[in-house]
Amino acid sequence: MRSHLPEDPTLERHFKGHKDVVSCADFSPNNKQLATGSCDKNLMIWNLTPKARAFRFVGHTDIITGVHFSPSGSLVASSSRDQTVRLWTPSIKGESTVFKAHTASVRSVQFSSDGQRLVTASDDKSVKVWGVERKKFLYSLSRHTNWVRCARFSPDGRLVASCGDDRTVRLWDTSSRQCINIFTDYGGSATFVDFNSSGTCIASSGADNTLKIWDIRTNKLIQHYRVHSAGVNCFSFHPSGNYLISGSSDSTMKILDLLEGRLIYTLHGHKGPVLAVAFSRDGGLFASGGADSQVLMWKTNFDSLNYRDLLSRHSRRVTPDPLPHLMDIYPRSPHRHNAQNGTVEVSRSGIQSSLTSTLENIVQQLDILTQTVAVLEERLTLTEDKLRTCLDNQVLLLQQTHQVDGSDEEAEGSSV
């Protein structure tokens, strides 16, 4: 439970170094570095310790569109309109490994949670998955009918979500390599997609100014936000799953409380469209970048709960829902598990992380339900009091009516 009202987010630092639009951002897993990509074709690695110097990585020959740290933090992947993906070592200024990834602009890149695969999205209408260690193309997912803007792995790596200019969000099974669901409720391009930390939901943003959250276990749209006055370009889930930050061409960032289903903050820091937002891995910071070439780093503040303490206090009375399995997602199809010995521990840690996140979310919802029940009980008591008062007044009125009727009868009898 919150012991005090949450504080507003505060601007912590302002990084200057890009000479053109900032298009993407990602924090390192240890929260000591921030990577940003730009239309100036440069990748910047900002060291967050005071007075530490930044690294500028030069190699792409066109706009950088996406950036993502590996889970270990030892590599940074970048995607570009030059049709390549590059892998960099964030502590050394120098050469990079190049993937000739697609036959058109590459729009996004992301590591899987075990760090063994990369997923890329492209204007060639395809999503591709790559092996990191051998730098090898594995397979392509090709059902989109227009440019693919974004592709993301689920936390357990069994699904990929993608979206694009064909106005669809697609869900893929990485085992069968088949599209297993399509969400089409968009009035324009679907610009960005991602899973929440528990892997039970996907969110997607659109050029039609909307943000939508879908439960992939039921395939139902569960939340729909229209809080921006222009297209939504990007968003990031808070690690707790309770908040989401979005960036828009209306020059603002919006922070949503997903448990209460409402907008809680509007942030003005950029002049022009906001094209990149990202929470740090622990949720304590978030970064933003935009058309004004600025990179801003903010302190979250509003999330003052200690989730670990909360989890330990409630662990005895809370039973988490089971994690979604591909069999829970329509259409049902056979799913083979071909886990190798070397990946078992990774899978377990991913499941543990997902269980912890799910449990934390349930604890939060239980707290809100408890408060809601208390409010309802209070309102019920007030209603009962009002009803009792109303009944008492009715009785008094009836008594007064009987008295008046009796007086009239007596008056009539005496006159006769």
Side-chain angles (χ1 to χ4, degrees), residues 106-364:
V106 188
R107 293 292 193 119
S108 76
V109 63
Q110 187 207 27
F111 283 96
S112 58
S113 58
D114 61 9
Q116 295 180 7
R117 291 170 294 162
L118 283 171
V119 64
T120 56
S122 171
D123 286 359
D124 65 11
K125 307 178 189 177
S126 74
V127 174
K128 290 186 178 180
V129 177
W130 307 80
V132 173
E133 189 177 349
R134 295 186 179 180
K135 302 168 183 60
K136 182 182 175 184
F137 167 72
L138 298 178
Y139 57 88
S140 185
L141 305 171
S142 304
R143 291 286 293 277
H144 281 283
T145 58
N146 207 330
W147 296 350
V148 188
R149 297 282 194 107
C150 184
R152 291 288 186 266
F153 282 113
S154 61
D156 62 10
R158 293 188 301 179
L159 299 173
V160 165
S162 61
C163 68
D165 285 10
D166 60 3
R167 303 185 179 188
T168 69
V169 175
R170 290 177 179 266
L171 205 56
W172 309 82
D173 176 351
T174 58
S175 177
S176 67
R177 304 175 187 179
Q178 297 298 311
C179 179
I180 57 173
N181 211 340
I182 307 172
F183 304 98
T184 56
D185 190 19
Y186 270 94
S189 297
T191 55
F192 199 89
V193 67
D194 203 1
F195 289 85
N196 67 347
S197 55
S198 63
T200 57
C201 297
I202 56 170
S204 57
S205 59
D208 60 356
N209 312 355
T210 63
L211 271 163
K212 295 175 181 178
I213 300 178
W214 314 79
D215 187 323
I216 62 172
R217 296 164 297 183
T218 61
N219 299 327
K220 294 288 193 304
L221 177 65
I222 55 173
Q223 290 188 336
H224 181 186
Y225 297 95
R226 192 183 287 272
V227 293
H228 287 286
S229 59
V232 183
N233 301 313
C234 52
F235 62 82
S236 178
F237 277 105
H238 187 272
S240 68
N242 298 340
Y243 304 97
L244 181 145
I245 183 169
S246 57
S248 167
S249 294
D250 65 9
S251 306
T252 70
M253 289 167 282
K254 306 276 186 178
I255 297 173
L256 303 170
D257 185 323
L258 302 180
L259 292 179
E260 297 185 10
R262 67 187 181 94
L263 174 67
I264 54 173
Y265 294 108
T266 297
L267 300 178
H268 301 267
H270 291 277
K271 296 174 183 176
V274 181
L275 300 171
V277 290
F279 275 111
S280 61
R281 299 296 204 272
D282 65 357
L285 300 168
F286 61 92
S288 60
D292 56 5
S293 309
Q294 290 191 100
V295 177
L296 305 179
M297 188 174 78
W298 310 73
K299 193 172 181 183
T300 303
N301 292 334
F302 56 81
D303 182 48
S304 57
L305 285 167
N306 185 323
Y307 291 98
R308 298 291 170 188
D309 290 351
L310 196 66
L311 183 63
S312 62
R313 289 204 304 272
H314 288 270
S315 59
R316 291 183 182 179
R317 66 179 179 86
V318 176
T319 304
D321 290 333
L323 285 169
H325 189 271
L326 288 173
M327 294 299 288
D328 301 325
I329 301 166
Y330 182 85
R332 293 168 189 257
S333 59
H335 179 69
R336 299 182 303 279
H337 292 275
N338 298 321
Q340 297 175 359
N341 293 334
T343 63
V344 172
E345 288 301 317
V346 172
S347 300
R348 283 177 183 168
S349 65
I351 290 168
Q352 184 62 44
S353 172
S354 297
L355 276 172
T356 301
S357 178
T358 303
L359 202 53
E360 289 166 353
N361 288 336
I362 290 169
V363 167
Q364 282 295 293

